[in-house]
Amino acid sequence: MAETITPVKEAAVENIRLRHHFATPAQQMDAATLGMWTFLITEVLFFGGMFASYAVYRNLYLGAFASTSEYMNVVLGGTNTAVLICSSLTMVLAVRAAQLSNRRHTMLFLVLTMIFGTAFLVIKGVEYHAKWVEHLVPGFNFHYPIPQFQQHAQILFFLYFMMTGMHALHMIVGLGLLTYLLVQAYRRVFNANYFAPVEMIGLYWHFVDIVWIFLFPLLYLIGHRK
Amino acid sequence: MSAGLLHVHIPKVRTLVLVWLALICLTGLTTGASYVDLGWMNIVVALLIAVSKASLVAWIFMGVRNTTTLTKLFVVAGLVWLGIMILITFSDYSSRTWTYQAQPWATNPAGGTSR
Amino acid sequence: MATIAQGTPEIAAQEVNYLNVEHGWKSWLFTTDHKRIAILYLISITLMFFVGGFMAVLFRINLLEPEGIFSAETYNRLFSMHGIIMVFFFLVPSIPATLANFLIPIMVGAKDLAFPRVNLLSWYIYVIGAFLTMYAVIRGGVDTGWTFYAPYSSTYSNSYVLAAAFGVFTAGFSSILTGLNFIVTVHKMRAPGMSWSRLPLFVWSNYATGLIQVLGTPVLAIVLLLLAFERIAHVGIFDPNIGGDPILFQHLFWFYSHPAVYIMILPGMGVISEIVSCFSRKRVFGYNFVAFSSMAIAVLSFVVWGHHMFLTGQSVYTSIAFSFLSMMVAVPSAIKVFNWTATMYKGSVSFDTPMLYAFGFIGLFTIGGLTGLHLATLGTDIALHGTYFIVAHFHYVMVGGMVMAFMGGLHFWWPKMTGRMYPEAWSKFAALIVFIGFNLTFFPQFILGYMGMPRRYHAYPPEFQALNVLSTAGASILGIGYLIPMVYLIWSLKNGPKAGPNPWGAAGLEWQIQSPPTTFNFDETPIVTEEAYNYGPLEEVVG
Ligand code: HEM
Ligand SMILES: [Cu+2]
């Protein structure tokens, strides 16, 4: 650490928004990065609890779980996967533009990311609505067409709503954060020396994408289809 | 850049687009694979594809490849802990029947959950 | 231990410090100064401690009579709320959010934690969680025990499970944020020359605690959320009647909650290392082992959770593995005890109040830890599970260990935090009262448990009455032992003699700055050139 010390005054000239308790911009950036990754680890374990439950019940009730694939909309799920992947691309391009002090591109790609994110949520909403119509919402109106699987399929749908719901909640938070970034970018806050918020929120966004990458096969593609 | 300033790694657009393409293809692949009956291998294939997709996102999009060893260590630790939770919990479920089938006296006469 | 680049702090008549630099409630509620946030936390957890303690008083009174004084229903709610408040709202944040929050930035030579605003946020989250839980208390409480076992909690209990569970859920996030802040601070905010091998052991143990908080707490959050949804919507995730598996709840719950018991002891161990070294005037024996044992505990604590589930229908093979691994986790704990003892050996030991608490900790934690081994042994746990033996075991580690360490640390750093000394005689007297009261309360419970008295019942067979009365008597002494410090510590704020920067002649960066410190702790970033605990052989330093 010792060798990375630059006096605060010298660095402060360059619009780097160094907070008072850090010695150098590099220290501030390192701290932010490590903090964000640590936060993402907590997210891994948060979702992990649901994945563990999923794994246990899938193992116990494989038949019932496989039967639910019938009622999952692979087209919409697959489309959503693609939409999220696109949003990840635009997100990483937004970070890149910020690193290059390209304000216009930063804003453009942030807006694109938000459009993809919103599209995802709309599609998800359509799916949720369909589940409601088909009486597949656990606890409220669950009538499974295959009577002997009624209980165990309900567990899968409960996990489905918990996991995708938590994921959607993270998307909504992400959209809020992106809005904040957009405003900041508009105000010319970011430049090649200061882009930590774009990068950190980018990490968050990609993480949410990764969660979906696992949710899609685990929830939509359990049973083998013909 | 002087000491203490940021070290920035700017990715190439080409790399990013290629990764995106790979991710889209893998999504197609995983969907396609679910239409082929591989028995218990279906889940293995699905998970393998998901893990490779996630690794691509983490390695390139999230820039793990350019981060410090410490960050890499943290990422690995997070995954190892997830593994600990799932594997040890699973060890219980998968070894319960060993006793219960072999030892008739150990079954619960009241029924309980069936497993 | 280290040299500060520019001069020693001057003790002027009107010196500016973090307490008097700004005034008014806004300067407290919107502060980002880690020291002020530590004080906010200290006040909040003390309030919660007395709420939890009050419930303990009530149910100990109930146990004076074999047939009980309150109804079974009331009794269940009392001990449950006691457990929930004490574990999640006092013990988990106790040392990390107060002493460590105050000290870690100073000990590593930084101006603040890495994320000061997140630190403040964590306090607000804690307060929201506390209010939710107090709401549950006021509405009539929860009767599930602090463990919230499903399906009782999700289906059958008609108490205020949801409010309390959301309270705990919320408080969990404050714990996560504290841990995250410590981890990043220790990695990224160390002053030049402050290498890992020069960190005070208190920092090491809180770093290890931070890892547990970050890796474990999210799982508690999700399991409580699943529980809440099962309770609201009656979907069978844990209730076996509707297809769920109650043991899954316990797996996820204990995946957090066993490591959490180490959240509730590791910071205390750190405090004891500091105190023992200072009052023996010796470097901690086997520094590397003590530091490494904290990390070993953090890791191993995640692979033993099944020892709480030996009697649940968990697979016997898994139980055997858990039993074995639980034995392993005792090893690093023992290393620490041996090293503290060795530190005192041939040291010039003095018996100031913090040291009295440290002695208490070492003895009582040893008893608690060793009885943990009885419980981790598959065969004996079958007899002891669900008895008062468990209650005695965990109170020896949690109260005899952590609360003792908390009190010891509070007395040790009180002069630093407030700039004042407390009355010596009273504080020694109180330490003695706490020790006596504690043992009188909880030792009989080992015997009761051994004789087979089950925990969590409002009534018991008459032959257990004598020991229960003894325990209640002890509890009243213990209660007085906690009230006395409340009085003289508050008294000392105005009337205590000025402490000066280093009343104990202790090593460590925190003792080289003024008491109370200034807002940014150091005028100049310190440059560390020495090991921790550099107590010279014949050093005679008095602040
Ligand atoms: C030295 C290592 C330790 C071992 C081997 C150990 C072992 C155990 C075991 C096996 C149990 C379960 C007993 C049963 O329910 O049948 C238990 C319970 C408990 N232990 Fe420990 N323990 C240790 C240290 C600690 C520490 C340091 C703490 C807290 C600071 C602690 C807190 C608890 C608590 C709170 C319970 C009761 C949980 C409940 O409400 O059921 N233990 N311990
Ligand atoms: Cu345990």
Side-chain angles (χ1 to χ4, degrees):
Chain A
M1 286 208 64
E3 64 280 2
T4 57
I5 304 296
T6 359
V8 180
K9 287 182 210 99
E10 202 177 289
V13 192
E14 305 176 42
N15 187 21
I16 41 135
R17 304 197 158 224
L18 187 66
R19 289 181 44 83
H20 72 267
H21 58 296
F22 291 110
T24 66
Q27 187 192 27
Q28 170 164 296
M29 185 71 186
D30 279 0
T33 311
L34 189 65
M36 193 64 204
W37 278 104
T38 311
F39 171 73
L40 292 183
I41 290 175
T42 70
E43 291 276 25
V44 167
L45 283 142
F46 183 79
F47 280 97
M50 289 184 279
F51 280 108
S53 313
Y54 171 89
V56 164
Y57 289 120
R58 181 194 166 110
N59 189 38
L60 289 177
Y61 310 135
L62 187 58
F65 270 37
S67 74
T68 61
S69 292
E70 223 22 66
Y71 307 96
M72 299 288 179
N73 193 329
V74 184
V75 176
L76 290 185
T79 313
N80 252 349
T81 314
V83 167
L84 264 196
I85 290 172
C86 294
S87 82
S88 261
L89 177 68
T90 54
M91 186 71 231
V92 73
L93 289 172
V95 176
R96 186 175 182 278
Q99 289 171 336
L100 294 171
S101 301
N102 187 336
R103 171 166 166 269
R104 273 197 46 240
H105 279 183
T106 311
M107 291 175 60
L108 171 72
F109 285 121
L110 284 176
V111 169
L112 282 176
T113 311
M114 291 170 72
I115 292 175
F116 283 125
T118 315
F120 177 93
L121 286 176
V122 170
I123 296 178
K124 198 77 234 150
V126 171
E127 279 187 73
Y128 280 169
H129 179 73
K131 296 281 174 301
W132 178 261
V133 173
E134 293 166 38
H135 298 286
L136 290 175
V137 182
F140 295 98
N141 69 350
F142 195 79
H143 294 291
Y144 201 59
I146 312 170
Q148 78 265 30
F149 287 154
Q150 165 82 11
Q151 269 191 359
H152 297 166
Q154 173 161 259
I155 293 183
L156 183 274
F157 278 98
F158 174 57
L159 287 170
Y160 167 85
F161 275 101
M162 272 296 280
M163 294 167 110
T164 58
M166 271 298 143
H167 178 264
L169 193 67
H170 277 76
M171 295 284 295
I172 293 169
V173 171
L175 286 175
L177 294 172
L178 288 174
T179 315
Y180 162 79
L181 284 185
L182 194 61
V183 174
Q184 294 289 78
Y186 176 76
R187 291 205 198 134
R188 299 173 196 277
V189 168
F190 306 123
N191 59 62
N193 280 326
Y194 181 73
F195 53 84
V198 194
E199 187 164 330
M200 296 310 125
I201 292 170
L203 288 179
Y204 171 86
W205 191 264
H206 296 308
F207 169 79
V208 177
D209 185 13
I210 288 183
V211 171
W212 183 263
I213 285 178
F214 283 94
L215 289 183
F216 175 59
L218 290 180
L219 294 175
Y220 290 76
L221 309 174
I222 308 174
H224 143 70
R225 298 162 181 279
K226 304 204 175 60
Chain B
M1 244 175 233
S2 71
L5 287 181
L6 304 182
H7 312 280
V8 187
H9 301 271
I10 295 165
K12 291 201 189 72
V13 175
R14 216 177 74 97
T15 323
L16 301 178
V17 173
L18 280 179
V19 169
W20 170 80
L21 205 65
L23 289 172
I24 296 285
C25 292
L26 285 170
T27 306
L29 192 65
T30 194
T31 316
S34 75
Y35 287 84
V36 186
D37 192 353
L38 302 169
W40 61 270
M41 281 292 284
N42 269 107
I43 176 74
V44 178
V45 170
L47 281 178
L48 276 180
I49 296 177
V51 167
S52 13
K53 284 166 76 180
S55 313
L56 275 176
V57 174
W59 193 247
I60 311 284
F61 283 0
M62 299 172 87
V64 172
R65 63 175 170 162
N66 293 323
T67 57
T68 54
T69 319
L70 179 68
T71 309
K72 290 185 185 122
L73 201 70
F74 269 54
V75 176
V76 172
L79 298 177
V80 168
W81 254 255
L82 180 64
I84 291 177
M85 174 170 68
I86 295 182
L87 284 182
I88 299 188
T89 304
F90 238 81
S91 82
D92 170 22
Y93 287 89
S94 52
S95 61
R96 267 185 215 171
T97 46
W98 295 356
T99 320
Y100 291 150
Q101 278 168 2
Q103 314 281 353
W105 48 263
T107 47
N108 177 3
T113 40
S114 59
R115 53 178 65 87
Chain C
M1 150 195 174
T3 43
I4 296 202
Q6 275 208 340
T8 42
E10 286 149 38
I11 303 159
Q14 264 301 324
E15 81 193 350
V16 177
N17 60 48
Y18 79 100
L19 290 168
N20 63 16
V21 64
E22 276 181 291
H23 292 283
W25 59 273
K26 271 191 189 160
S27 75
W28 282 90
L29 292 185
F30 298 109
T31 182
T32 52
D33 180 355
H34 64 103
K35 297 180 288 300
R36 286 191 164 211
I37 297 169
I39 302 291
L40 291 175
Y41 256 121
L42 185 62
I43 296 169
S44 332
I45 66 165
T46 307
L47 285 176
M48 292 307 268
F49 178 75
F50 280 101
V51 174
F54 178 66
M55 289 167 179
V57 169
L58 291 182
F59 67 67
R60 274 318 319 170
I61 290 175
N62 175 83
L63 291 173
L64 282 172
E65 292 289 337
E67 62 280 5
I69 291 171
F70 306 127
S71 67
E73 183 69 0
T74 313
Y75 180 81
N76 292 348
R77 292 177 186 222
L78 283 173
F79 79 73
S80 301
M81 294 314 303
H82 165 75
I84 290 169
I85 290 174
M86 286 305 202
V87 167
F88 297 110
F89 294 93
F90 175 70
L91 225 43
V92 166
S94 61
I95 291 181
T98 60
L99 296 175
N101 209 345
F102 193 100
L103 290 162
I104 283 191
I106 308 182
M107 284 180 163
V108 304
K111 290 184 182 145
D112 207 321
L113 287 173
F115 308 115
R117 285 173 295 185
V118 171
N119 195 16
L120 181 64
L121 178 68
S122 104
W123 180 70
Y124 276 103
I125 294 179
Y126 170 88
V127 171
I128 295 171
F131 269 107
L132 279 167
T133 305
M134 291 316 289
Y135 169 80
V137 172
I138 290 163
R139 293 301 301 269
V142 178
D143 62 355
T144 60
W146 76 281
T147 45
F148 290 107
Y149 274 178
Y152 180 68
S153 57
S154 67
T155 310
Y156 303 103
S157 167
N158 44 29
S159 59
Y160 289 85
V161 179
L162 280 180
F166 276 123
V168 173
F169 173 85
T170 313
F173 289 100
S174 92
S175 175
I176 290 177
L177 294 181
T178 305
L180 189 150
N181 230 331
F182 287 176
I183 291 174
V184 178
T185 304
V186 175
H187 272 289
K188 296 297 175 193
M189 308 292 286
R190 282 173 288 125
M194 179 55 90
S195 60
W196 283 85
S197 58
R198 288 178 179 167
L199 285 175
L201 290 165
F202 182 69
V203 177
W204 271 102
S205 69
N206 276 287
Y207 176 79
T209 309
L211 289 181
I212 303 180
Q213 288 173 305
V214 159
L215 290 164
T217 320
V219 180
L220 174 74
I222 196 66
V223 75
L224 289 177
L225 214 56
L226 289 169
L227 178 83
F229 278 105
E230 171 155 310
R231 196 173 162 86
I232 295 167
H234 300 291
V235 282
I237 185 99
F238 300 130
D239 184 351
N241 278 332
I242 37 182
D245 178 19
I247 296 177
L248 179 65
F249 176 88
Q250 298 195 20
H251 273 303
L252 296 177
F253 180 83
W254 289 114
F255 177 84
Y256 164 75
S257 289
H258 181 81
V261 308
Y262 282 96
I263 296 178
M264 295 181 252
I265 197 72
L266 272 170
M269 294 169 156
V271 168
I272 299 306
S273 298
E274 301 296 315
I275 295 179
V276 165
S277 153
C278 172
F279 294 102
S280 309
R281 314 227 55 84
K282 266 177 73 188
R283 187 176 153 77
V284 173
F285 180 84
Y287 171 96
N288 290 329
F289 280 91
V290 181
F292 185 74
S293 66
S294 292
M295 300 303 289
I297 286 178
V299 173
L300 285 173
S301 69
F302 276 96
V303 294
V304 303
W305 78 78
H307 65 213
H308 296 272
M309 300 165 59
F310 289 155
L311 275 82
T312 56
Q314 169 176 259
S315 148
V316 174
Y317 301 96
T318 305
S319 290
I320 293 170
F322 274 130
S323 179
F324 176 74
L325 289 163
S326 304
M327 303 291 161
M328 307 257 301
V329 82
V331 174
S333 307
I335 288 179
K336 284 184 192 277
V337 172
F338 291 137
N339 281 288
W340 294 320
T341 320
T343 307
M344 286 184 252
Y345 178 67
K346 286 196 172 167
S348 56
V349 177
S350 54
F351 296 85
D352 298 85
T353 314
M355 192 61 167
L356 294 186
Y357 281 109
F359 280 128
F361 177 101
I362 296 174
L364 300 178
F365 174 74
T366 304
I367 297 180
L370 288 177
T371 50
L373 293 180
H374 300 164
L375 299 174
T377 308
L378 214 41
T380 46
D381 187 57
I382 292 178
L384 296 173
H385 179 74
T387 69
Y388 261 83
F389 197 89
I390 312 292
V391 179
H393 155 70
F394 68 69
H395 282 91
Y396 263 76
V397 274
M398 291 166 128
V399 182
M402 188 65 159
V403 181
M404 284 275 178
F406 176 70
M407 296 296 285
L410 198 62
H411 284 83
F412 187 49
W413 283 295
W414 187 260
K416 181 54 59 186
M417 297 168 80
T418 65
R420 304 283 180 157
M421 291 303 289
Y422 43 80
E424 179 74 16
W426 275 105
S427 61
K428 283 187 171 159
F429 175 65
L432 201 67
I433 295 284
V434 166
F435 186 78
I436 294 171
F438 173 82
N439 281 297
L440 210 56
T441 313
F442 293 106
F443 202 82
Q445 299 186 1
F446 275 129
I447 304 170
L448 284 170
Y450 179 75
M451 298 198 310
M453 177 172 165
R455 65 192 277 207
R456 294 180 171 173
Y457 282 89
H458 79 298
Y460 53 86
E463 61 263 34
F464 294 143
Q465 187 171 14
L467 286 168
N468 270 298
V469 171
L470 204 59
S471 180
T472 301
S476 55
I477 297 177
L478 186 59
I480 292 171
Y482 289 135
L483 284 172
I484 300 173
M486 266 299 275
V487 176
Y488 68 72
L489 286 178
I490 292 175
W491 175 87
S492 77
L493 288 176
K494 277 252 172 323
N495 308 302
K498 283 236 164 37
N502 193 358
W504 313 117
L509 280 181
E510 80 269 30
W511 300 109
Q512 305 195 2
I513 57 176
Q514 71 176 47
S515 311
T518 52
T519 302
F520 296 135
N521 305 333
F522 303 97
D523 302 335
E524 294 269 324
T525 306
I527 296 172
V528 182
T529 53
E530 292 168 47
E531 311 285 286
Y533 313 114
N534 198 5
Y535 291 104
L538 285 168
E539 201 180 21
E540 270 301 327
V541 202
V542 177

